[in-house]
Amino acid sequence: MDDKQLAYEAMCAGGDVGKPTPWKKKDQNPGAQRRVLWDDSTEGGEEDITLPEEDEWLIWAGGPGRKQALLRFNAANLDDEPPDPIGRQYQMLFKMQNTDSKLFRRVMDVHGISESSASVSDFNILWTGVHPKPFVLRNLYDYQRVNHFPRSYELTRKDRLCKNIERMKYIRGAKHFDFIPPSYIMPTEYQEFCSAFLKDRGAWIVKPVASSRGRGIYLINHPDQIPLDESVVVCKYIENPLLVDGYKCDVRLYVAVTSYDPLVIYLYEEGLIRFAAVKYDQSAKMLWNPCMHLTNYSVNKYHTNYVQNDDAEVDDYGNKWSLSALLRHLKLAGEDTTRLMQDIEAIIVKSIIAVAPTVTTACKMFVPTRKNCFELYGFDILIDSSLRPWLLEVNLSPSLGCDTPLDSKVKSAVISDLFTLIGVPAVDPGRARQVKQRQRAVVRVRAPSMDSVPRGGKPLRSALSAEEARIVREVREEDARRGAFIRIFPAPETWSLYSCFLAPVNSHLNQMLHEELYPHTIGGPQGSSGPRSLCRKSSSIPSLSITSRSRSERTACYERPLARGSKDAFVGAGEGGRDAAERATERLTVKREIIEQMQRGVRMSRYQARLAFSFYLQHIQRRLMCNMEQVQGSGQLELVLRFIRKAARNLTDAYAIQTPGRHFTPVEKAILIAKQLGDFIHLYNRETLEHVAPRESPALLDAQLHKQFVTGASESDLEEALTLHTSLFNSADLFLGRARAREPASRARTAPSSAATDETTSVARTDEDGAPDSETARARQTGALSVGNLLKTSLRDFPAPAGGGRDRVRALNKIYR
Ligand code: ADP
């Protein structure tokens, strides 16, 4: 424990954390009622303290004499906003970095936690879309919470997940870790992949190593179709997925890890089932269709077949179901859902165990206290037709988007329960800073820290150190606040099932914790049997009644409908119940203001221009998917394809473009091109983040006004504004960027099949010559293109391709011809 945390301990002990004081000595507050929140009498003598009532806002934690107030989060507050939320009294702050989420903001807001301004470094909660930097972690106070562990990417990057599971197969036995489809990392494992392909032909799926939402994913059926100049993972495609009414689906599960050493893992009792929009067809000729083979919401949501679920209580309707609804459906069909959920729990625990040593080591290096970091992982599981679950990937920041009442219900419950579970101390971070300045003096007078000496007397058990006693207490307290999270590790059966997979660095505290929580499930006296000898196959679980009861009880929780969460808080959030006419008037006013400002010489920064362009492209993508029939013959598809192909040259990351073959129907073309436009937008947005939002300046559009405009504008509003901006400031490359020269090596490594090359290259040649194909030319002449002038302008304004251009066109095969 360093000086800083000591100072914090001092603050807590002295009630100097902020207003109101979390607890007071009895004589300071004679009227208050005495409360002891858990009966841990073995932990030591109790100090005579008085605490205010545990109420709807606060939960008390900590050993006797060290009580700490934690915030209680409640999803019901989202529907019925409390007038004076507790976080406001403590002036609590959150910080958000590299991500945004309406849901997260709203949960913070209704609990009185405000966003800290960029210039203020204080915060209680840091919610970030990327891994925090080591110096951020090192400087955390005891009361601060960050939503990622260092090196969590060992689990969440697709290539690292494969490597870690491969390693476990090697050292612990392949049969225990055979839950991810055979996978190869390109280009390094190309030869191994070819050998595997010869043994197991059929479909494989190509995924960028660090992407999400189905972006950049496609199916192949020959090694020639793999790009060798990109980091991708190629996985065996599971060709026999579980179908419901003929549609493929996958499962999104929410998994919270509150500690890596000891390992403490919770699975939320409710999850979401995502369905593809097009009925499944195993034949090779349909491999091109992302809306049949990928179940991501973002891939399918604009498809004309997609059915939104508009009632959270009818959770087995449309293209998104709840997990409990699927389990009930399977149970009715006579399937063994208990076994299914046990297998899923095993996958979660084993995959986290696989990365635990690395994360634990990083935590020891960078993270000051055990409670600073937590994770909410999004596990994606595919169930096959024999009800075997497969792990597809683990998401670092699972989407908190709420497009339907069901999303809203489940995700608001997950987030509210998550913050109660991790325990967010009610601390004024501003006051903490002041105390930090006094910390030297505090350190000099303080007794040794609680890590070395148990406060208030003897430890929990004579065999336990103070630190171990504290861990046991904290895990028990945490479990008492778990809401609808279910602790799946440690659990009664987990020592016998998984101890043999734990690395030595993770063995000691895990064994200690199991012994304390489930003494009769640990075989033999402590230390007499090594972890390896205790491990059992999951099918031969010990016949302890406590074990089996606990597992079936857990399955019952997964099957029951979720009884919490806010159904309406986020669907159409931000509209505040206003009617369409009001919104249209406001949109028009904002647009006029923007146009007037631009005419007065106020311009968009690069960041703003790119953001506006991205919103514009998203409108186009949506239109392609929603009006598939209408776009045919208009030349729009060809124009968009040409645009993506040219614009992709300006991206830093290589992007393989797939050209629909001549036999594709217009609808099929629209699906494929819209998917690729979505992939492009994602890469484009990622690069936009590099152009940091500029400081306020009178020469630039006001940030708030710009945000209001882009988020509310229609496609034609955006087109008008961007076209005006381009002509006033001659600034097309502000949002389009400039083509970059490509490494010759990357060209050389591309090895497409010759037949496919012919076709895709011929299209590319047309582009490079600047001679539009006849359909596009006709569309331009007739002005029928509602995709608009801007896209055409952008095609004209593109600088000549510096790297030859043809290298950007990947010959992707027989599938796309
Ligand atoms: P992303 O992070 O982009 O969502 P995933 O690995 O989750 O990537 O894959 C996206 C979708 O593709 C999944 O939801 C699933 O429907 C499908 N998918 C991925 N891998 C496989 C596979 N090996 N077999 C069958 N379908 C798969």
Side-chain angles (χ1 to χ4, degrees), residues 338-349:
T338 304
R339 182 60 193 259
L340 173 66
M341 286 313 294
Q342 283 173 6
D343 291 348
I344 288 178
E345 285 182 358
I347 287 178
I348 294 168
V349 172

mmCIF file with all atom_site columns, all heavy atoms in Angstrom, residues 338-349:
data_model
loop_
_atom_site.group_PDB
_atom_site.id
_atom_site.type_symbol
_atom_site.label_atom_id
_atom_site.label_alt_id
_atom_site.label_comp_id
_atom_site.label_asym_id
_atom_site.label_entity_id
_atom_site.label_seq_id
_atom_site.pdbx_PDB_ins_code
_atom_site.Cartn_x
_atom_site.Cartn_y
_atom_site.Cartn_z
_atom_site.occupancy
_atom_site.B_iso_or_equiv
_atom_site.pdbx_formal_charge
_atom_site.auth_seq_id
_atom_site.auth_comp_id
_atom_site.auth_asym_id
_atom_site.auth_atom_id
_atom_site.pdbx_PDB_model_num
ATOM 1  N N   . THR A 1 338 ? -30.193 -27.727 -18.529 1.00 0.00 ? 338 THR A N   1
ATOM 2  C CA  . THR A 1 338 ? -29.264 -27.681 -17.392 1.00 0.00 ? 338 THR A CA  1
ATOM 3  C C   . THR A 1 338 ? -27.864 -28.004 -17.881 1.00 0.00 ? 338 THR A C   1
ATOM 4  O O   . THR A 1 338 ? -26.895 -27.316 -17.573 1.00 0.00 ? 338 THR A O   1
ATOM 5  C CB  . THR A 1 338 ? -29.689 -28.709 -16.312 1.00 0.00 ? 338 THR A CB  1
ATOM 6  O OG1 . THR A 1 338 ? -31.027 -28.408 -15.951 1.00 0.00 ? 338 THR A OG1 1
ATOM 7  C CG2 . THR A 1 338 ? -28.804 -28.646 -15.102 1.00 0.00 ? 338 THR A CG2 1
ATOM 8  N N   . ARG A 1 339 ? -27.794 -29.045 -18.662 1.00 0.00 ? 339 ARG A N   1
ATOM 9  C CA  . ARG A 1 339 ? -26.493 -29.447 -19.208 1.00 0.00 ? 339 ARG A CA  1
ATOM 10 C C   . ARG A 1 339 ? -25.902 -28.336 -20.094 1.00 0.00 ? 339 ARG A C   1
ATOM 11 O O   . ARG A 1 339 ? -24.708 -28.022 -20.012 1.00 0.00 ? 339 ARG A O   1
ATOM 12 C CB  . ARG A 1 339 ? -26.686 -30.732 -20.025 1.00 0.00 ? 339 ARG A CB  1
ATOM 13 C CG  . ARG A 1 339 ? -25.422 -31.308 -20.627 1.00 0.00 ? 339 ARG A CG  1
ATOM 14 C CD  . ARG A 1 339 ? -24.453 -31.638 -19.513 1.00 0.00 ? 339 ARG A CD  1
ATOM 15 N NE  . ARG A 1 339 ? -23.128 -31.893 -20.027 1.00 0.00 ? 339 ARG A NE  1
ATOM 16 C CZ  . ARG A 1 339 ? -22.627 -33.102 -20.193 1.00 0.00 ? 339 ARG A CZ  1
ATOM 17 N NH1 . ARG A 1 339 ? -23.326 -34.161 -19.865 1.00 0.00 ? 339 ARG A NH1 1
ATOM 18 N NH2 . ARG A 1 339 ? -21.410 -33.253 -20.648 1.00 0.00 ? 339 ARG A NH2 1
ATOM 19 N N   . LEU A 1 340 ? -26.758 -27.725 -20.891 1.00 0.00 ? 340 LEU A N   1
ATOM 20 C CA  . LEU A 1 340 ? -26.293 -26.658 -21.784 1.00 0.00 ? 340 LEU A CA  1
ATOM 21 C C   . LEU A 1 340 ? -25.689 -25.516 -20.970 1.00 0.00 ? 340 LEU A C   1
ATOM 22 O O   . LEU A 1 340 ? -24.587 -25.043 -21.267 1.00 0.00 ? 340 LEU A O   1
ATOM 23 C CB  . LEU A 1 340 ? -27.472 -26.140 -22.634 1.00 0.00 ? 340 LEU A CB  1
ATOM 24 C CG  . LEU A 1 340 ? -27.175 -24.909 -23.483 1.00 0.00 ? 340 LEU A CG  1
ATOM 25 C CD1 . LEU A 1 340 ? -26.156 -25.228 -24.571 1.00 0.00 ? 340 LEU A CD1 1
ATOM 26 C CD2 . LEU A 1 340 ? -28.457 -24.361 -24.127 1.00 0.00 ? 340 LEU A CD2 1
ATOM 27 N N   . MET A 1 341 ? -26.396 -25.082 -19.927 1.00 0.00 ? 341 MET A N   1
ATOM 28 C CA  . MET A 1 341 ? -25.888 -23.945 -19.154 1.00 0.00 ? 341 MET A CA  1
ATOM 29 C C   . MET A 1 341 ? -24.632 -24.326 -18.368 1.00 0.00 ? 341 MET A C   1
ATOM 30 O O   . MET A 1 341 ? -23.744 -23.503 -18.177 1.00 0.00 ? 341 MET A O   1
ATOM 31 C CB  . MET A 1 341 ? -26.971 -23.393 -18.221 1.00 0.00 ? 341 MET A CB  1
ATOM 32 C CG  . MET A 1 341 ? -28.060 -22.608 -18.925 1.00 0.00 ? 341 MET A CG  1
ATOM 33 S SD  . MET A 1 341 ? -27.470 -21.388 -20.132 1.00 0.00 ? 341 MET A SD  1
ATOM 34 C CE  . MET A 1 341 ? -26.604 -20.198 -19.119 1.00 0.00 ? 341 MET A CE  1
ATOM 35 N N   . GLN A 1 342 ? -24.557 -25.582 -17.932 1.00 0.00 ? 342 GLN A N   1
ATOM 36 C CA  . GLN A 1 342 ? -23.321 -26.018 -17.256 1.00 0.00 ? 342 GLN A CA  1
ATOM 37 C C   . GLN A 1 342 ? -22.141 -25.963 -18.221 1.00 0.00 ? 342 GLN A C   1
ATOM 38 O O   . GLN A 1 342 ? -21.043 -25.532 -17.870 1.00 0.00 ? 342 GLN A O   1
ATOM 39 C CB  . GLN A 1 342 ? -23.478 -27.455 -16.748 1.00 0.00 ? 342 GLN A CB  1
ATOM 40 C CG  . GLN A 1 342 ? -24.306 -27.535 -15.491 1.00 0.00 ? 342 GLN A CG  1
ATOM 41 C CD  . GLN A 1 342 ? -24.610 -28.975 -15.085 1.00 0.00 ? 342 GLN A CD  1
ATOM 42 O OE1 . GLN A 1 342 ? -24.097 -29.916 -15.688 1.00 0.00 ? 342 GLN A OE1 1
ATOM 43 N NE2 . GLN A 1 342 ? -25.437 -29.137 -14.086 1.00 0.00 ? 342 GLN A NE2 1
ATOM 44 N N   . ASP A 1 343 ? -22.375 -26.400 -19.437 1.00 0.00 ? 343 ASP A N   1
ATOM 45 C CA  . ASP A 1 343 ? -21.290 -26.370 -20.426 1.00 0.00 ? 343 ASP A CA  1
ATOM 46 C C   . ASP A 1 343 ? -20.878 -24.935 -20.729 1.00 0.00 ? 343 ASP A C   1
ATOM 47 O O   . ASP A 1 343 ? -19.695 -24.639 -20.921 1.00 0.00 ? 343 ASP A O   1
ATOM 48 C CB  . ASP A 1 343 ? -21.729 -27.069 -21.728 1.00 0.00 ? 343 ASP A CB  1
ATOM 49 C CG  . ASP A 1 343 ? -21.882 -28.574 -21.530 1.00 0.00 ? 343 ASP A CG  1
ATOM 50 O OD1 . ASP A 1 343 ? -21.428 -29.073 -20.475 1.00 0.00 ? 343 ASP A OD1 1
ATOM 51 O OD2 . ASP A 1 343 ? -22.459 -29.239 -22.409 1.00 0.00 ? 343 ASP A OD2 1
ATOM 52 N N   . ILE A 1 344 ? -21.873 -24.043 -20.781 1.00 0.00 ? 344 ILE A N   1
ATOM 53 C CA  . ILE A 1 344 ? -21.554 -22.636 -21.054 1.00 0.00 ? 344 ILE A CA  1
ATOM 54 C C   . ILE A 1 344 ? -20.756 -22.038 -19.891 1.00 0.00 ? 344 ILE A C   1
ATOM 55 O O   . ILE A 1 344 ? -19.754 -21.349 -20.092 1.00 0.00 ? 344 ILE A O   1
ATOM 56 C CB  . ILE A 1 344 ? -22.856 -21.841 -21.317 1.00 0.00 ? 344 ILE A CB  1
ATOM 57 C CG1 . ILE A 1 344 ? -23.413 -22.233 -22.695 1.00 0.00 ? 344 ILE A CG1 1
ATOM 58 C CG2 . ILE A 1 344 ? -22.618 -20.347 -21.245 1.00 0.00 ? 344 ILE A CG2 1
ATOM 59 C CD1 . ILE A 1 344 ? -24.724 -21.578 -23.091 1.00 0.00 ? 344 ILE A CD1 1
ATOM 60 N N   . GLU A 1 345 ? -21.177 -22.342 -18.659 1.00 0.00 ? 345 GLU A N   1
ATOM 61 C CA  . GLU A 1 345 ? -20.419 -21.849 -17.497 1.00 0.00 ? 345 GLU A CA  1
ATOM 62 C C   . GLU A 1 345 ? -18.981 -22.354 -17.561 1.00 0.00 ? 345 GLU A C   1
ATOM 63 O O   . GLU A 1 345 ? -18.035 -21.612 -17.284 1.00 0.00 ? 345 GLU A O   1
ATOM 64 C CB  . GLU A 1 345 ? -21.060 -22.336 -16.191 1.00 0.00 ? 345 GLU A CB  1
ATOM 65 C CG  . GLU A 1 345 ? -22.336 -21.628 -15.809 1.00 0.00 ? 345 GLU A CG  1
ATOM 66 C CD  . GLU A 1 345 ? -22.871 -22.135 -14.466 1.00 0.00 ? 345 GLU A CD  1
ATOM 67 O OE1 . GLU A 1 345 ? -22.263 -23.058 -13.882 1.00 0.00 ? 345 GLU A OE1 1
ATOM 68 O OE2 . GLU A 1 345 ? -23.898 -21.610 -14.002 1.00 0.00 ? 345 GLU A OE2 1
ATOM 69 N N   . ALA A 1 346 ? -18.818 -23.617 -17.958 1.00 0.00 ? 346 ALA A N   1
ATOM 70 C CA  . ALA A 1 346 ? -17.469 -24.205 -18.013 1.00 0.00 ? 346 ALA A CA  1
ATOM 71 C C   . ALA A 1 346 ? -16.609 -23.463 -19.033 1.00 0.00 ? 346 ALA A C   1
ATOM 72 O O   . ALA A 1 346 ? -15.426 -23.188 -18.790 1.00 0.00 ? 346 ALA A O   1
ATOM 73 C CB  . ALA A 1 346 ? -17.558 -25.686 -18.359 1.00 0.00 ? 346 ALA A CB  1
ATOM 74 N N   . ILE A 1 347 ? -17.199 -23.121 -20.176 1.00 0.00 ? 347 ILE A N   1
ATOM 75 C CA  . ILE A 1 347 ? -16.452 -22.393 -21.207 1.00 0.00 ? 347 ILE A CA  1
ATOM 76 C C   . ILE A 1 347 ? -15.977 -21.043 -20.650 1.00 0.00 ? 347 ILE A C   1
ATOM 77 O O   . ILE A 1 347 ? -14.831 -20.631 -20.837 1.00 0.00 ? 347 ILE A O   1
ATOM 78 C CB  . ILE A 1 347 ? -17.346 -22.173 -22.458 1.00 0.00 ? 347 ILE A CB  1
ATOM 79 C CG1 . ILE A 1 347 ? -17.532 -23.485 -23.203 1.00 0.00 ? 347 ILE A CG1 1
ATOM 80 C CG2 . ILE A 1 347 ? -16.764 -21.104 -23.366 1.00 0.00 ? 347 ILE A CG2 1
ATOM 81 C CD1 . ILE A 1 347 ? -18.442 -23.374 -24.430 1.00 0.00 ? 347 ILE A CD1 1
ATOM 82 N N   . ILE A 1 348 ? -16.881 -20.371 -19.950 1.00 0.00 ? 348 ILE A N   1
ATOM 83 C CA  . ILE A 1 348 ? -16.536 -19.044 -19.416 1.00 0.00 ? 348 ILE A CA  1
ATOM 84 C C   . ILE A 1 348 ? -15.396 -19.158 -18.402 1.00 0.00 ? 348 ILE A C   1
ATOM 85 O O   . ILE A 1 348 ? -14.388 -18.458 -18.485 1.00 0.00 ? 348 ILE A O   1
ATOM 86 C CB  . ILE A 1 348 ? -17.783 -18.393 -18.769 1.00 0.00 ? 348 ILE A CB  1
ATOM 87 C CG1 . ILE A 1 348 ? -18.836 -18.103 -19.844 1.00 0.00 ? 348 ILE A CG1 1
ATOM 88 C CG2 . ILE A 1 348 ? -17.414 -17.121 -18.026 1.00 0.00 ? 348 ILE A CG2 1
ATOM 89 C CD1 . ILE A 1 348 ? -20.203 -17.721 -19.304 1.00 0.00 ? 348 ILE A CD1 1
ATOM 90 N N   . VAL A 1 349 ? -15.559 -20.089 -17.470 1.00 0.00 ? 349 VAL A N   1
ATOM 91 C CA  . VAL A 1 349 ? -14.544 -20.216 -16.414 1.00 0.00 ? 349 VAL A CA  1
ATOM 92 C C   . VAL A 1 349 ? -13.196 -20.621 -17.020 1.00 0.00 ? 349 VAL A C   1
ATOM 93 O O   . VAL A 1 349 ? -12.154 -20.034 -16.713 1.00 0.00 ? 349 VAL A O   1
ATOM 94 C CB  . VAL A 1 349 ? -15.009 -21.239 -15.347 1.00 0.00 ? 349 VAL A CB  1
ATOM 95 C CG1 . VAL A 1 349 ? -13.892 -21.532 -14.368 1.00 0.00 ? 349 VAL A CG1 1
ATOM 96 C CG2 . VAL A 1 349 ? -16.234 -20.718 -14.606 1.00 0.00 ? 349 VAL A CG2 1
#
